[in-house]
Amino acid sequence: MRSSQSITKEHMPASKQPPSRPGRRPLPRSPGGSPLWYAAGFLLVLAIVQAVFFVARSGRTLPYSEFKSLVRAGKVAEVVVGAAEIRGALKAAEAGSPNFTTVRIEDPKLIEELEQHAVEYTGEAASSWMTDVMSWLFPVLFLIVIWSFFFRRMGGAEGGVMSFARSKAKIYSEDDVKVKFEDVAGVDEAENELKEIVEFLKTPKKYTSIGGRIPKGVLLVGPPGTGKTLLARAVAGEAKVPFFSLSGSEFVEMFVGVGAARVRDLFRQAEAKAPCIVFIDELDALGKARVQSPIGSHEEREQTLNQLLAEMDGFDARKGVIIMAATNRPEVLDPALLRPGRFDRQVLVDKPDIRGREDILRIHAKNVKIAPDVELKVVAARTAGFAGADLANLVNEAALLAARRDKPAVEMKDLEEAIDRLIAGLEKKRVMSDKERRIVAYHESGHAIVATVVPGLDPVHKISIVQRGFGALGYTMQLPLEDRYLLTRTDLQNQLSVLLGGRSAEEIAFEEISTGAQNDLQRATDIARAMVTEYGMSDAMGAITYEPTRRPTFLNMPMPQERGPYAEETAQRIDAEVTRIMTEAHEQARRILRERRQTLDQLAARLLEKEVIEGDELRVIVGSGRPCGSQR
Ligand code: ADP
Ligand code: MG
Ligand code: ZN
């Protein structure tokens, strides 16, 4: 073997050096790898040597007779006599490749002849096993190298197969979370609710020594871009606790079992760092209601969700770990997530009203140079329907516009232009036009005034024309003062008037009606029909119920409409009674609003300006101090 190598070296043409194997690269990259790698590396080196050896051997294959005649002619310089073949080199004078091979033939006189013609000769021991081994080892090694290369790619930046299960959650240490509540604006209610969480994280002992139950999970619900992520980080920043965050969507495209392992790992890490916050963004990606699917394609997500539920249950909130999550689609969440002991506290993070928008603009305007002519109040008024992220974007756009024009600061003109651009971009998100806002303002004012004027109803808590993320254009919220078990006929009639108040206000103010009242009309009609057919509240129809007994619904789907056991003529009388009740309610609403035409205009104007009016202010405007018992 030694001798064969010596020949190899001497006779190998430089151009035939085997190219360096690309497959070798991963080997030195695995420091601390198993001894297996070193063994593989060693074998690979051998393989290369052997390959070189193969190359060197190549050359002409001569018939044995020609070989013998060459020897006799004295043209052969040296030979290596192997077990099966003889390789050799001709003297330099010969043209072409000096190497040759010939198949060995039993020839006892060969040595004699070689000596006669002064040919250098060597024997070769056991070269054939090496050749055999190499011929299968080489492909195997090649496969190993390819395989390890792809596995590495799959491991990605994480550093290989082994760390798959490690949580991707980024850990912000306390210094890292610099966000404070003062960086968040326009979501005061949510902020106030979260202050309690901050207090608890700061001094968990104070709370646990009394034995109070601390909320385990807080779910931030609201349209995209309203600052949910920002708020969660602000809680960590205010409480100066570590903040572990990860996004639900990260879990979704993983191998089965990995997501669950990550959740487990995340909670172990969090426990070690308590008090701290674990924040799961986009919970809906992970926490969609579990479905029975024959395909089982949601296996991974459900395993992960189950693990999350299990961790939340087994978790002791007194240790000071608060789990926060955010979603903009609360309706798709698995109900199991919202049970007590899990995300039992829900905080609404809604789009800001006009004052909130001004505050948010002020926060973001701090980061750019603003010219003195800029009035953020005006900008806020022009950006109805914008969420916090839209406003941050607006300031940035304006700054870019100003910079492009080589201005030293952002001027009002830049902001105006940025608004126009963004609104065009938001068109898909349906930002209301001025006319639509006026209609909605009158509509909601109508509801609110009727609700305030008629007696015996729940007081109005808030009116809003801030466009919601969830469809409604505005709302009038009534909050009950006490639990009610019984409603009188007058109560129901008044309720109908309130529902029809929106439509009535539109009629009075614009002499035109819109589709905005569809939901009101539906609810009102349902109530009126129930008054006639279920509660026996119609004098004309008498105290009879005309409804068939209600059946349990199937999967929350209403059963196909089934009419009660009454005659066609009765059905017509029922319809007539429903119409009468609706008409009376509509008339009452219109009368109330016509008598207060000025109040209606005033309230609508105020609503357009402020977008949100609290119940107290409403009552001052309507002046409901005097009793108003003239109806019915
Ligand atoms: P969400 O998580 O609700 O979709 P983010 O918290 O990610 O929204 O908001 C994105 C960015 O928009 C924030 O980093 C911040 O700059 C800005 N922003 C959103 N809401 C507010 C707010 N209420 N106050 C100040 N800035 C906000
Ligand atoms: Mg977010
Ligand atoms: Zn309405």
Side-chain angles (χ1 to χ4, degrees):
M1 178 147 174
R2 198 167 41 93
S3 57
S4 80
Q5 281 181 349
S6 80
I7 287 186
T8 314
K9 263 184 224 149
E10 279 158 30
H11 294 281
M12 194 174 62
S15 63
K16 288 202 174 175
Q17 286 276 0
S20 62
R21 300 270 178 296
R24 281 187 68 192
R25 221 185 69 244
L27 291 178
R29 273 208 316 168
S30 56
S34 65
L36 203 77
W37 277 116
Y38 291 110
F42 173 71
L43 286 175
L44 192 65
V45 169
L46 276 189
I48 289 167
V49 168
Q50 198 65 17
V52 165
F53 166 84
F54 274 121
V55 169
R57 273 189 344 177
S58 69
R60 281 178 300 156
T61 304
L62 304 177
Y64 194 74
S65 56
E66 197 184 335
F67 163 64
K68 282 296 276 274
S69 53
L70 280 169
V71 170
R72 284 182 203 126
K75 289 185 176 169
V76 177
E78 54 181 342
V79 293
V80 177
V81 183
E85 56 184 19
I86 298 169
R87 297 187 308 283
L90 300 177
K91 282 184 176 147
E94 287 297 315
S97 166
N99 294 337
F100 66 87
T101 313
T102 185
V103 177
R104 188 175 165 178
I105 288 176
E106 195 52 42
D107 183 0
K109 296 236 175 86
L110 178 65
I111 304 297
E112 222 172 281
E113 268 177 283
L114 287 177
E115 285 194 338
Q116 266 175 23
H117 297 96
V119 179
E120 215 185 306
Y121 64 89
T122 346
E124 190 181 54
S127 72
S128 55
W129 77 260
M130 198 54 204
T131 317
D132 289 349
V133 167
M134 279 310 145
S135 62
W136 61 259
L137 201 59
F138 210 59
V140 169
L141 277 176
F142 189 65
L143 284 180
I144 290 179
V145 165
I146 297 260
W147 170 79
S148 69
F149 177 70
F150 277 105
F151 238 135
R152 243 159 237 280
R153 292 284 298 273
M154 276 158 68
E158 291 286 286
V161 199
M162 295 313 166
S163 54
F164 256 159
R166 291 288 307 282
S167 173
K168 236 192 197 171
K170 295 173 227 114
I171 302 170
Y172 295 91
S173 71
E174 13 196 294
D175 313 327
D176 279 336
V177 188
K178 296 248 167 58
V179 183
K180 292 278 155 64
F181 278 147
E182 65 190 37
D183 301 318
V184 191
V187 284
D188 299 341
E189 281 173 37
E191 222 176 284
N192 283 335
E193 287 197 54
L194 292 173
K195 281 201 174 120
E196 193 190 342
I197 307 284
V198 172
E199 278 305 306
F200 165 71
L201 284 168
K202 272 186 180 163
T203 51
K205 293 249 164 53
K206 194 171 97 188
Y207 288 79
T208 49
S209 60
I210 308 175
R213 201 172 71 85
I214 289 88
K216 232 185 231 180
V218 180
L219 181 61
L220 303 173
V221 179
T226 46
K228 298 181 292 296
T229 312
L230 193 66
L231 265 175
R233 302 194 63 219
V235 171
E238 289 281 339
K240 297 195 173 58
V241 298
F243 182 73
F244 294 76
S245 80
L246 68 144
S247 166
S249 56
E250 276 174 28
F251 284 120
V252 178
E253 286 167 36
M254 269 192 248
F255 298 115
V256 172
V258 173
R262 279 215 178 139
V263 169
R264 213 176 303 130
D265 194 55
L266 173 71
F267 275 76
R268 292 300 86 78
Q269 285 188 44
E271 252 170 357
K273 286 245 183 175
C276 67
I277 289 178
V278 173
F279 178 62
I280 302 170
D281 213 344
E282 301 169 53
L283 181 66
D284 42 284
L286 175 62
K288 261 187 239 140
R290 285 165 291 187
V291 283
Q292 220 67 59
S293 148
I295 319 157
S297 56
H298 306 297
E299 190 87 342
E300 165 59 10
R301 193 171 56 71
E302 291 184 4
Q303 260 193 34
T304 311
L305 175 58
N306 287 339
Q307 184 66 35
L308 179 67
L309 293 175
E311 290 290 347
M312 288 190 80
D313 288 344
F315 213 68
D316 193 350
R318 277 170 300 181
K319 287 204 190 112
V321 180
I322 298 276
I323 304 153
M324 294 182 80
T327 181
N328 46 30
R329 300 166 64 206
E331 69 282 355
V332 305
L333 288 184
D334 196 305
L337 275 169
L338 307 177
R339 278 214 289 271
R342 290 169 183 169
F343 291 105
D344 43 10
R345 186 164 303 190
Q346 281 138 46
V347 174
L348 181 67
V349 186
D350 221 329
K351 285 195 181 170
D353 60 9
I354 186 164
R355 233 189 40 229
R357 290 200 296 272
E358 195 185 333
D359 294 344
I360 295 174
L361 283 168
R362 193 150 290 133
I363 288 173
H364 291 284
K366 270 190 221 140
N367 304 326
V368 297
K369 286 209 185 72
I370 293 278
D373 75 321
V374 169
E375 281 185 75
L376 292 180
K377 205 187 190 89
V378 178
V379 178
R382 281 206 51 200
T383 47
F386 277 44
D390 301 326
L391 294 169
N393 196 7
L394 168 68
V395 173
N396 189 46
E397 281 282 311
L400 291 180
L401 283 173
R404 200 174 303 154
R405 288 167 195 157
D406 300 322
K407 291 186 195 168
V410 177
E411 291 167 13
M412 198 63 185
K413 230 180 96 229
D414 305 314
L415 282 162
E416 302 265 348
E417 197 176 326
I419 292 173
D420 292 340
R421 284 187 178 199
L422 282 183
I423 286 182
L426 289 173
E427 206 73 295
K428 280 177 251 117
K429 288 198 205 163
R430 286 295 298 121
V431 171
M432 271 192 280
S433 72
D434 280 350
K435 177 148 182 271
E436 285 169 319
R437 286 183 75 232
R438 268 170 60 77
I439 294 176
V440 175
Y442 270 92
H443 180 104
E444 297 303 330
S445 299
H447 285 309
I449 291 175
V450 177
T452 310
V453 167
V454 295
L457 289 185
D458 299 325
V460 174
H461 173 66
K462 197 187 209 177
I463 334 170
S464 159
I465 58 164
V466 179
Q467 200 185 354
R468 300 288 115 169
F470 307 124
L473 298 176
Y475 65 84
T476 300
M477 192 194 289
Q478 288 173 279
L479 277 192
L481 286 182
E482 57 205 271
D483 284 343
R484 283 177 190 242
Y485 298 102
L486 289 174
L487 289 166
T488 64
R489 174 153 68 179
T490 317
D491 291 338
L492 286 177
Q493 282 163 341
N494 287 339
Q495 190 66 58
L496 289 182
S497 295
V498 173
L499 284 169
L500 293 167
R503 156 65 58 97
S504 307
E506 289 179 41
E507 289 166 353
I508 292 169
F510 304 105
E511 289 173 352
E512 174 65 288
I513 48 187
S514 76
T515 55
Q518 189 250 349
N519 182 260
D520 298 335
L521 295 182
Q522 175 133 32
R523 281 165 61 200
T525 312
D526 285 349
I527 292 178
R529 184 164 289 277
M531 285 171 74
V532 179
T533 62
E534 288 178 58
Y535 306 133
M537 282 180 176
S538 148
D539 293 334
M541 299 301 294
I544 297 174
T545 183
Y546 294 94
E547 277 297 293
T549 344
R550 294 249 161 120
R551 303 244 178 92
T553 51
F554 177 68
L555 290 177
N556 284 332
M557 299 286 285
M559 290 288 272
Q561 268 287 296
E562 199 179 324
R563 219 187 60 176
Y566 46 75
E568 182 59 35
E569 182 247 350
T570 316
Q572 284 175 12
R573 280 170 54 217
I574 291 175
D575 288 343
E577 271 301 281
V578 171
T579 310
R580 182 188 62 78
I581 292 175
M582 290 286 283
T583 313
E584 276 178 19
H586 196 173
E587 243 138 46
Q588 170 169 279
R590 263 195 296 224
R591 193 178 62 245
I592 291 172
L593 291 174
R594 235 183 266 114
E595 282 166 6
R596 291 167 183 76
R597 178 63 211 260
Q598 270 182 345
T599 312
L600 179 62
D601 289 338
Q602 203 185 334
L603 185 60
R606 187 87 179 120
L607 203 47
L608 278 170
E609 175 195 348
K610 270 188 69 185
E611 297 187 346
V612 175
I613 294 182
E614 299 292 331
D616 293 337
E617 189 182 352
L618 167 73
R619 279 179 280 281
V620 170
I621 293 176
V622 179
S624 72
R626 68 197 144 81
C628 204
S630 57
Q631 298 87 28
R632 263 328 267 258

